[in-house]
């Protein structure tokens, strides 16, 4: 079957209006199964992991609501979760493999698709080897039952030397900081929000995100509870976000100056004698070096650069030091800025120095009931220098990756080592990469591009082959990574609502793809054999010999890995070593609403992987960036800088093809402060051009005092106007891609993370657009 590039994929998908699904009134044909069933399900769309009740009539989702009996979320539900049925029924969702020939897509069988993959990569492997092929892993992979556990198959089986991910756009500074502080890049402390009395939020907006590297349902409700028990929430952000609206105080800060602000807090803790290490007394190294580094950062020295009065910085330091249960939480706004590592590191340093790390009500380390592979890490010294540099820009590797903005030049620049093949797994880097226009221009130059994706989006439109996975409702679900960021220990498993046995699951797709990239003919790939090898490697990380437990489980694929990680958690049966402990069988059978093992507990001795066995504050790659920050403080401030934002009905670029989530007033607007609007001569709805050093976009103005003067804001994840995409709803609400403005060379130096917030732009009025 041949499908036009710009047409709808298939007309054979039953349709339902928004009101049908929300209200449960979907029309059902007489010859279709009309049985009404209710299914329990974990929402896979964000880190809140909310429990759902999903009602189906035949093969249609007719209602989604929160599961009040869910032990974790207790009925909480956001608009994204309520739209899960829309995602499943989306007529634009790719359901069969697709091969592109010129500008025409053709549906093929799975065997034909894998054969085409082999045809594409074989010449590259024969001529340049696996080094000429790379992979990109997108954010949705962590939310997918198969992808979260098997992206490593594509990388590991062929021994792919370099990969790219969304991590260097939104979180690498936090990983670098934790690698140095605690000896493990994935030991990330989270706020004990249920028991804190002072919650300081920097560069995070859980009103929209529902938490990031911080899993907790209904965070705004928890903020209300903090107030009810006499506590306070303070949000420090350039914009009065939905979280700031709910908080007790909003402190407006100039973008990119969070590190200077926190160093001033550290300075006050030192000079006023407010340091209290508490339970970490004798377990912290490098305090004197940190105080020396912060010596020049007095509140008075940084107040103008931060836009925060010196006395407010001092009083905040005192509040943190004198409140028994307090915590500072910093997230994406601290990460994707010019000084992301310093800012992310300083958050944890403040928590350490005020005695609020690894204690009730402070920043604590989760103990997941689904054992995190990060807990198997051995002791290590401080991060060493880069193991490699990128070919063109010579950007250093950090924690195995380089800045995503380098990928475009690695594809486009001729010469030995050029990237000729790319596998994209559940990602849309054509929208999410900084300086995105360069990557859009580079992707058509690839000799082989394979997308594992369920939509023809701005990135996958360039692919030669699309290998679609199952929808979230067609496969089981059990979060793995997210429980490592959760405020309570627990577990929950959800069966597939619409199980499919006529299509491969993503884990099978990725194993086949990894084997093909290793040079094995597509027809000769033994998926089960590779799965046994991968399981054995994973089991060994948990101290289990796979051959010894073969007779103890009948599971395959991700089910077998889930069973392993449950059994080897503190609450698991240890494959018989702890009779009565939890197994996947028991979780499936006995705990349909999940199982809760209680709140976080102090566990620093289980966390630390530093050589000394202590928390290590002082590291050259972090403190060595302070002179760069100090130099920035003395530079003139641009007239306008741009920051991003997101909405509770959005999740990066992958929730915009659902009518119920994008309807209403346009959300892809440029928010401008009233004073700046007056200076620019613009009013609400005027079209303006927004120009940076690398690009220009046009956007409609939205005037609001929620934004700090001198700052403008565009949401990320939009720009659905590209020819060749098949996203009917998103295309009708296209918006503009803010990453066309983000300079690809502007990065946080210690981590290589993109600085997509706080860079200068010029805004010029064009014409009115909407009112």
């Amino acid at each position: 079957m041949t499908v036009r590039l710009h047409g709808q994929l298939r007309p054979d998908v039953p349709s339902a209006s928004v009101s049908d699904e929300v209200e449960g009134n979907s029309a059902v044909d007489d010859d279709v199964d009309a049985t009404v069933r209710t299914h329990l399900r974990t929402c896979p769309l964000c880190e809140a992991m909310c429990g759902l009740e999903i009602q189906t009539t035949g093969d249609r989702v007719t209602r989604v609501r929160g599961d009040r009996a869910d032990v974790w979320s207790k009925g909480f539900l956001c608009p994204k979760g309520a739209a899960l049925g829309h995602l499943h029924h989306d007529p634009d969702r790719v359901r069969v493999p697709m091969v592109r020939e010129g500008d025409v897509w053709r549906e093929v069988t799975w065997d034909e698709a894998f054969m085409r993959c082999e045809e594409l990569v074989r010449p590259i492997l024969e001529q340049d080897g696996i080094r000429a092929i790379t992979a990109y892993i997108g954010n949705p992979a962590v939310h997918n039952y198969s992808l979260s556990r098997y992206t490593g198959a594509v990388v590991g089986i062929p021994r792919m030397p370099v990969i790219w991910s969304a991590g260097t756009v939104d979180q690498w500074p936090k990983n670098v900081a934790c690698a140095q502080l605690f000896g493990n890049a994935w030991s990330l402390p989270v706020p004990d929000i249920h028991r804190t009395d002072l919650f300081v939020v920097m560069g995070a907006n859980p009103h929209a995100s529902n938490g990031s590297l911080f899993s907790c349902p209904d965070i705004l409700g928890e903020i209300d509870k903090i107030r009810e028990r006499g506590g306070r929430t303070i949000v420090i952000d350039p914009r009065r976000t939905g979280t700031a609206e709910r908080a007790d105080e909003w402190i407006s800060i100039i973008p990119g100056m969070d590190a200077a602000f926190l160093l001033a807090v550290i300075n006050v803790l030192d000079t006023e004698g407010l340091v209290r290490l508490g339970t970490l007394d004798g377990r912290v190294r490098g305090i004197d070096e940190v105080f020396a580094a912060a010596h020049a950062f007095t509140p008075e020295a940084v107040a103008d650069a931060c836009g925060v009065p010196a006395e407010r910085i001092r009083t905040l330091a005192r509040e943190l030091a004198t409140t028994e249960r307090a915590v500072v939480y910093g997230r994406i706004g601290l990460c994707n800025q010019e000084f992301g590592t310093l800012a992310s590191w300083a958050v944890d340093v403040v928590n350490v120095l005020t005695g609020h790390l690894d204690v009730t009500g402070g920043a604590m380390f989760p103990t997941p009931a689904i054992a995190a592979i990060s807990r198997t890490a051995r002791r290590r010294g401080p991060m060493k220098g880069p193991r490699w540099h990128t070919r063109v820009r010579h950007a250093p590797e950090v924690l195995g990756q380089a800045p995503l903005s380098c990928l475009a030049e690695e594809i486009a620049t001729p010469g030995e080592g050029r990237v000729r093949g790319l596998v994209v797994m559940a990602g849309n880097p054509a929208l999410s990469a900084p300086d995105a226009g360069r990557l859009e221009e580079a992707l058509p130059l690839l000799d082989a591009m394979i997308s594992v994706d369920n939509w023809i989006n701005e990135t996958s439109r360039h692919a030669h082959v699309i290998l679609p996975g199952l929808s979230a409702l067609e496969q089981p679900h059990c979060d793995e990574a997210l429980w490592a960021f959760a405020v309570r220990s627990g577990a929950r498993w959800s069966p597939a609502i619409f199980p499919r046995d006529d299509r491969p699951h993503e884990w099978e797709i990725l194993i086949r793809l990894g084997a093909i990239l290793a040079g094995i003919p597509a027809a000769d790939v033994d998926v089960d054999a590779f799965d046994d090898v991968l399981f054995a490697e994973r089991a060994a990380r948990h101290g289990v010999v796979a051959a010894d437990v073969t007779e103890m489980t009948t599971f395959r694929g991700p089910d077998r890995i889930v069973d392993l990680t449950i059994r080897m958690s503190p609450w698991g049966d240890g494959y018989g070593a702890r009779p009565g402990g939890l197994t996947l069988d028991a979780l499936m059978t006995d705990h349909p609403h999940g199982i809760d093992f209680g709140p976080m507990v102090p566990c620093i001795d289980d966390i630390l992987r530093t050589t000394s066995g202590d928390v290590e504050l002082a590291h050259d790659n972090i403190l060595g960036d302070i002179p760069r920050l100090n130099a920035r403080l003395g530079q003139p401030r641009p007239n306008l800088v741009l920051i991003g934002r997101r909405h509770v009905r959005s999740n990066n670029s992958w929730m915009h093809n659902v009518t119920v989530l994008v309807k209403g007033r346009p959300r892809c607007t440029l928010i401008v402060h009233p004073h700046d609007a007056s200076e620019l001569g613009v009013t609400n709805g005027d079209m303006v051009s927004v120009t940076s050093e690398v690009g220009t976009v046009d956007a409609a103005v939205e005037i609001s005092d929620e934004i700090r003067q001198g700052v403008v804001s565009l949401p990320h994840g939009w720009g659905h106007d590209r020819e060749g995409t098949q996203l009917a709803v998103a295309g009708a609400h296209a918006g503009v891609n803010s990453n066309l403005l983000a300079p690809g060379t502007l990065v946080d130096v210690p981590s290589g993370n993109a600085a997509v917030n706080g860079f200068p732009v010029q805004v010029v009025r064009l014409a009115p657009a909407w009112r």
Side-chain angles (χ1 to χ4, degrees), residues 49-279:
M49 300 187 291
C50 297
L52 309 177
E53 284 186 1
I54 299 181
Q55 181 179 288
T56 61
T57 302
D59 64 354
R60 299 293 301 168
V61 172
T62 51
R63 185 180 65 195
V64 178
R65 64 182 182 184
D67 175 12
R68 295 183 180 180
D70 184 88
V71 300
W72 166 254
S73 58
K74 299 177 173 58
F76 177 75
L77 175 65
C78 84
K80 292 187 291 291
L84 196 56
H86 293 259
L87 284 171
H88 173 75
H89 296 303
D90 186 351
D92 289 335
R93 181 165 63 88
V94 181
R95 290 160 169 82
V96 295
M98 306 288 289
V99 169
R100 182 170 60 85
E101 297 171 349
D103 64 350
V104 174
W105 287 102
R106 181 168 59 89
E107 294 184 355
V108 297
T109 67
W110 282 98
D111 287 342
E112 289 172 322
F114 287 121
M115 285 294 293
R116 181 57 180 150
C117 292
E118 180 186 342
E119 292 170 0
L120 289 165
V121 304
R122 186 191 303 120
I124 303 175
L125 294 173
E126 291 174 350
Q127 295 162 18
D128 294 322
I130 190 61
R131 68 175 183 164
I133 301 177
T134 191
Y136 172 82
I137 303 172
N139 173 273
V142 77
H143 302 276
N144 180 285
Y145 188 61
S146 282
L147 293 178
S148 62
R149 295 166 174 90
Y150 280 84
T151 51
V154 171
V155 178
I157 294 174
R159 299 177 183 260
M160 189 179 287
V162 177
I163 64 169
W164 312 79
S165 82
T168 60
V169 177
D170 68 11
Q171 72 174 63
W172 235 228
K174 191 65 180 176
N175 294 104
V176 169
C178 290
Q180 298 293 58
L181 289 163
F182 314 123
N184 189 330
W186 292 100
S187 289
L188 310 180
V190 303
D192 185 16
I193 192 172
H194 291 156
R195 297 178 290 186
T196 196
D197 294 319
L198 178 58
F199 184 35
V200 179
V201 181
M202 299 186 68
N205 184 19
H207 168 255
S209 68
N210 287 321
S212 180
L213 299 180
F214 170 31
S215 295
C216 176
D218 194 13
I219 292 176
L220 293 192
E222 295 301 329
I223 288 174
D224 291 341
K225 292 177 183 178
I226 292 173
R227 185 180 300 109
E228 289 169 4
R229 57 179 178 261
R232 299 181 71 234
T233 296
I234 302 170
V235 171
I236 303 170
D237 200 285
R239 177 173 160 252
R240 191 178 65 244
T241 62
T243 305
E245 292 278 9
R246 198 68 160 258
D248 299 281
E249 182 182 0
W250 170 45
I251 297 176
S252 172
I253 190 170
I254 291 173
M257 289 295 102
D258 304 88
F261 178 94
L262 288 165
L263 284 167
V265 170
I266 292 169
N267 178 284
V268 174
L269 295 175
D270 173 27
T271 57
E272 296 191 6
L274 297 174
V275 174
R276 303 286 187 272
L277 298 181
T279 60

Side-chain angles (χ1 to χ4, degrees), residues 459-471:
T459 299
S460 61
R461 68 191 173 111
H462 296 290
H464 300 95
V465 180
I466 297 178
L467 304 173
L470 301 175
S471 85

Side-chain angles (χ1 to χ4, degrees), residues 264 268 298-304 307-316:
V268 174
T298 65
E300 290 73 20
V302 306
D304 183 61
V308 180
E311 188 56 30
R312 186 63 192 97
I313 299 174
R314 289 188 179 278
T315 57
L316 179 65

Side-chain angles (χ1 to χ4, degrees), residues 427-712:
N428 195 359
L431 283 188
S432 60
D435 201 357
R438 292 176 62 243
L439 185 58
E440 284 190 290
E441 293 172 357
L443 291 178
L445 304 177
L446 289 164
D447 297 316
M449 180 174 167
I450 301 164
S451 283
V452 181
D453 207 293
N454 291 5
W455 281 269
I456 298 180
N457 59 29
E458 292 75 19
T459 299
S460 61
R461 68 191 173 111
H462 296 290
H464 300 95
V465 180
I466 297 178
L467 304 173
L470 301 175
S471 85
L473 302 184
E474 292 173 333
Q475 57 186 307
H477 189 74
C478 184
D479 284 293
E480 179 181 38
L482 302 187
W483 285 107
F485 314 134
V487 295
R488 297 181 69 85
S489 299
R492 188 175 46 212
W493 186 87
S494 306
I497 293 177
F498 303 115
R500 300 291 297 263
D501 57 10
D502 59 337
R503 290 173 52 189
H505 289 231
E506 281 103 330
W507 68 273
E508 298 170 292
I509 294 170
L510 297 185
I511 286 177
R512 287 192 181 277
L513 203 48
I516 290 169
L517 292 171
I520 298 174
D524 296 342
V525 177
D526 187 335
V527 171
D528 286 341
F530 273 109
D531 188 41
D532 287 339
V533 172
L534 294 169
F535 176 76
E537 292 176 352
R538 181 71 176 264
R541 293 287 298 273
H542 292 278
V544 174
V545 177
D548 294 344
V549 300
T550 300
E551 302 301 321
M552 300 181 69
T553 181
T554 59
F555 295 121
R556 303 289 304 180
D559 293 347
R560 180 164 55 167
I561 294 176
V562 173
D563 190 42
L564 164 73
T565 52
I566 288 174
R567 287 173 181 261
M568 298 309 296
S569 78
W571 293 276
D573 79 336
Y575 287 102
R578 296 182 291 272
L582 191 63
T583 66
L584 178 55
D585 269 328
L587 184 62
M588 290 176 171
T589 305
D590 302 333
H591 305 284
H593 300 280
I595 186 168
D596 178 18
F597 292 107
M600 295 180 286
V601 297
C603 60
I604 195 72
D605 290 329
D606 296 330
I607 291 296
L608 291 175
R609 295 292 186 272
T610 56
T611 302
S612 66
D614 295 330
V615 177
E616 298 178 355
L617 301 185
H619 295 275
D620 290 344
N621 70 324
I622 297 177
L623 296 183
D625 203 33
I626 287 182
R628 189 171 67 94
L629 171 62
N630 204 32
R632 177 67 72 211
L633 298 184
Q635 294 178 1
R637 191 180 306 158
N639 291 330
L640 291 175
V641 296
L642 181 72
I643 63 171
R645 70 180 190 273
R646 62 176 290 188
H647 193 276
V648 67
R649 293 176 176 267
S650 179
N651 192 348
N652 302 328
S653 69
W654 50 292
M655 299 294 292
H656 295 159
N657 209 47
V658 177
T659 300
V660 70
L661 294 180
V662 297
K663 67 180 182 178
R665 186 170 176 160
R667 291 200 295 272
C668 190
T669 58
L670 184 76
I671 296 181
V672 181
H673 186 273
H675 178 272
D676 295 322
S678 177
E679 290 289 308
L680 295 167
V682 298
T683 59
N684 263 324
D686 283 353
M687 289 297 295
V688 294
S689 67
V690 187
T691 302
S692 72
E693 66 180 70
V694 298
T696 297
V697 300
D698 296 342
V701 167
E702 180 178 351
I703 299 174
S704 173
D705 64 0
E706 72 189 63
I707 198 77
R708 183 186 178 92
Q709 186 177 330
V711 182
V712 293

